[in-house]
């Protein structure tokens, strides 16, 4: 590799200490290479949150965007309305009033707990079904029992005549 004289730009042998044409010392002169400059990457710009006007603008489905946000998580219903409905159904199938009355009472207790804020609202429909279903079926069951009792008594009286 040749050394270039810094004074007259004459190429010289690699082992030479002085320039051949002007006698300038070149032993200490290092060849200069143009190195690529390191470039800093452009700064990252974080997206800005939407302004109030953008947030409330109309969506293609009609209505403001904020009304179409998902509803907050509601906890699942407690076990009481499920048990109340199971008791009412068991009363319809086999046990009559003996399970319908406790089922309707349990439904009423759950409705009261929901009203007072002690239970999640997600069980309200089940509690109402258990309460009203148990009450109606209990009344019908008791009425059926008395109807069967009266018809049995009347049939015995009419047999004796």
């Amino acid at each position: 590799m040749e050394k270039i004289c810094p004074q007259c730009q004459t190429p010289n042998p690699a082992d030479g200490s002085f320039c051949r044409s002007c006698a300038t010392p070149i032993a200490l002169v290092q060849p200069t290479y143009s190195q690529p400059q390191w470039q800093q990457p452009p700064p990252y710009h974080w997206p800005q949150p939407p302004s109030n006007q953008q947030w409330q603008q109309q969506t293609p489905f009609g209505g403001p965007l904020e009304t179409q946000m998902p509803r907050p998580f509601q906890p699942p219903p407690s076990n009481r309305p499920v048990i109340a409905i199971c008791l009412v159904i068991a009363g319809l199938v086999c046990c009559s009033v003996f399970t319908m009355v406790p089922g309707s009472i349990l439904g009423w207790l759950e409705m009261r707990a929901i009203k007072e804020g002690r239970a999640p609202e997600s069980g309200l429909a089940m509690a109402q079904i258990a309460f009203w279903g148990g009450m109606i079926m209990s009344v019908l069951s008791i009425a059926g029992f008395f109807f069967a009792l009266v018809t049995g008594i009347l049939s015995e009286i009419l047999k004796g005549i």
Side-chain angles (χ1 to χ4, degrees), residues 100-147:
M100 279 191 228
V101 171
S104 61
I105 291 171
L106 196 56
W108 176 73
L109 289 173
E110 182 67 12
M111 286 189 321
R112 188 171 166 201
I114 291 170
K115 183 179 178 183
E116 293 172 356
R118 294 181 287 121
E121 282 189 36
S122 54
L124 182 63
M126 286 190 289
Q128 289 173 339
I129 290 170
F131 174 69
W132 291 110
M135 292 298 285
I136 292 169
M137 295 314 292
S138 295
V139 168
L140 290 177
S141 179
I142 291 170
F145 173 75
F146 282 116
F147 179 74

Side-chain angles (χ1 to χ4, degrees), residues 49-135:
S51 66
N52 264 349
Q53 285 180 329
Q54 291 171 336
W55 184 254
Q56 293 177 355
Q57 78 186 83
Q58 296 291 323
T59 61
F61 305 111
L65 185 63
E66 62 191 15
T67 60
Q68 295 182 5
M69 297 301 289
R71 294 183 181 167
F73 173 73
Q74 287 188 351
S78 65
N79 292 334
R80 286 181 286 188
V82 175
I83 294 170
I85 286 180
C86 290
L87 287 172
V88 170
I89 292 172
L92 289 172
V93 173
C94 64
C95 306
S96 186
V97 180
F98 300 111
T99 58
M100 279 191 228
V101 171
S104 61
I105 291 171
L106 196 56
W108 176 73
L109 289 173
E110 182 67 12
M111 286 189 321
R112 188 171 166 201
I114 291 170
K115 183 179 178 183
E116 293 172 356
R118 294 181 287 121
E121 282 189 36
S122 54
L124 182 63
M126 286 190 289
Q128 289 173 339
I129 290 170
F131 174 69
W132 291 110
M135 292 298 285

